[in-house]
Amino acid sequence: MYAICALLALLVFLPQLLRHFFPYFWQDANYLFQYLRCGVRISRYSTKKPFYSVLDSFLDNVKKQPEKPFIIFEDQVYSYQEAERRSNKVARALRSHAGLNHGDCVAVFIGNEPNFLWTWLALAKLGCIASLLNYNIRAKSLLHCFTCCGANVLLVAADFTLYGENPHKNSTASQTGSDSGLPKAAVVTHHRLWAACFLQGMLGVKSNDIIYINLPLYHSAGLLMGVLGAIERGITIVLSRKFSTSQFWNDCRKHNVTVIQYVGEVLRYLCNTPKSDSDRHHRVRLAIGNGARMDTWKEFLHRFGDIQVCECYGATEGNVGFINYIGRVGAIGREVFIHKKLFPYSLIKYDTEREEPVRDSRGFCKEVEKGETGLLVLKITKIAPFTGYAKNREQTEKKQIRDVLKKGDVYFNSGDLLKVDRDNFIYFQDRIGDTFRWKGENVATSEVESILILVDCIAEANVYGVLVPGHEGRTGMASVKLKEGKQFNAGDFFTTVAHHLPTYARPRFIRIQNSIEVTGTLKQLKVKLSKEGFNMDTIRDQLYFLDDKAKTYVPMTRSIYEAIINKEMRL
């Protein structure tokens, strides 16, 4: 009798005990259940003969709901059946006119429009590999991307020329992503593709939801997590050519959007728009994305209402990701014991001056303590593989760290500094090395440097990212050494960067130095310069600022500096 009474008492007080000692128990349990469920589904799809693909999921939706709106684009509505018909038409045309066969690689140079989706579906039906080029790409980067992906056919939108801005390349179904140097094509398997597609379901997206997608479709977030995730859910997509602060909420209201995607800059841009009585008049309940800064996140919720913000973390080529399913403001995810056991990762000490992990006397890396910032490395295993970059063995090897915690282990180097707090929430701290993020895009310093030295007056260039008050990420700054006897030619400098670089990759600040500092191993010092930034109170070197309106670089003045520091000037 006493035992039964004790058991009943335990059952009565169990919820309270869990809430006190394990406040996130049920959310953690639900996340693990969803995660394992997705793993089982991927395994089941893999064993099917033939493999059950996202295309198969789309075709199943066509059968189940042929008349349901699939794409809404500029007041045109395309049903699932209409998408099937149009993609078949594209597939027939490509087979007869381009002579495409199963396994061929096709480079796609199309913007955010329905034709992009008809083309992607058509290539999937033909069994071709789609290599998706950023439609702003140009010059050297375009040639490099086309060469490394191995495509022998290039499909271009009717309203595009091959002159753009962005030296970044993404592709899916086989290749996506870039993080440093010239663009690199990350190999994306069907397993990886399904994992990205399942994200919407894990975050509670239902079959009657409507998702608004204005992120570029060449990007894995826009296509994999957005469009293909919507196909897996069988939902309606409101597609926009590009992000527009003035149209965003109007589109959401007009089409009864319930789910939106973002990168950190998107939320900030929305918060910077003039306040309106209609700010909370919408049906959006869920925002999925990455890169939201804590202050922007708070302001977004305060202004636009009770929207569940689900911050995610991962890389197209990465082998492990995180999801902030709790909704803790500022966090990118949560450390859960079982998840970490299945997909091991570590935060290791990193020497920012030497730009390398700290190792002990045995040669192994040192893990950081809770609350300390460390470099995220993710163990490469059979269930968490790193498939590398297409036709780039050097960069594939560069992203791997060996003998991390024991002899012979291999980890994927994320290039990101994170920390885990006492409640096991994970926070993004910074990005290391040769890449920084600005305007929601990765900027490769080595590529920008290769452009700057084309300027006649420049002998050497060192590019790095600097923090700017009121802005997410880091904007570009370049320390340059002039050729002997040359003066800084602001007009020539602007013309060169404007011709070769996208707006977000163009250095906002120029610092003229007598010499470029390097380490003992001849690596350029970026950390010290990045910390100094463009501070006129401490820097005695001559500084220049990019004036977009004048289309040139102008000498940095006290008024310009104070306008930036006081958040009176938008960059």
Side-chain angles (χ1 to χ4, degrees), residues 5 13 84-85 95 125 141 146 217 304 313 373 383 446 451 505 541 554:
C5 290
F13 289 105
E84 163 72 351
R85 187 186 70 80
R95 176 177 287 167
K125 290 176 179 181
S141 291
F146 194 78
L217 297 184
F304 298 107
Y313 171 86
T373 297
I383 63 172
S446 59
I451 298 302
D541 298 320
V554 298

Side-chain angles (χ1 to χ4, degrees), residues 31 35 199 202-203 225 289-290 310-315 319-325 331-336 339-340 343-347 376-378 414 416 418-420 424-428:
Y31 169 70
Y35 203 96
L199 180 66
M202 291 180 66
L203 297 178
M225 294 166 57
N290 62 81
C310 290
E311 180 83 358
C312 307
Y313 171 86
N319 55 340
V320 180
F322 304 116
I323 302 173
N324 181 1
Y325 51 89
I332 62 170
R334 181 166 160 75
E335 187 165 278
V336 181
H339 177 261
K340 191 172 183 179
F343 303 95
Y345 59 87
S346 294
L347 297 184
L376 173 67
V377 292
L378 311 118
S414 72
D416 292 328
L418 311 181
K419 75 173 181 180
V420 180
N424 289 323
F425 286 98
I426 308 170
Y427 296 85
F428 177 86

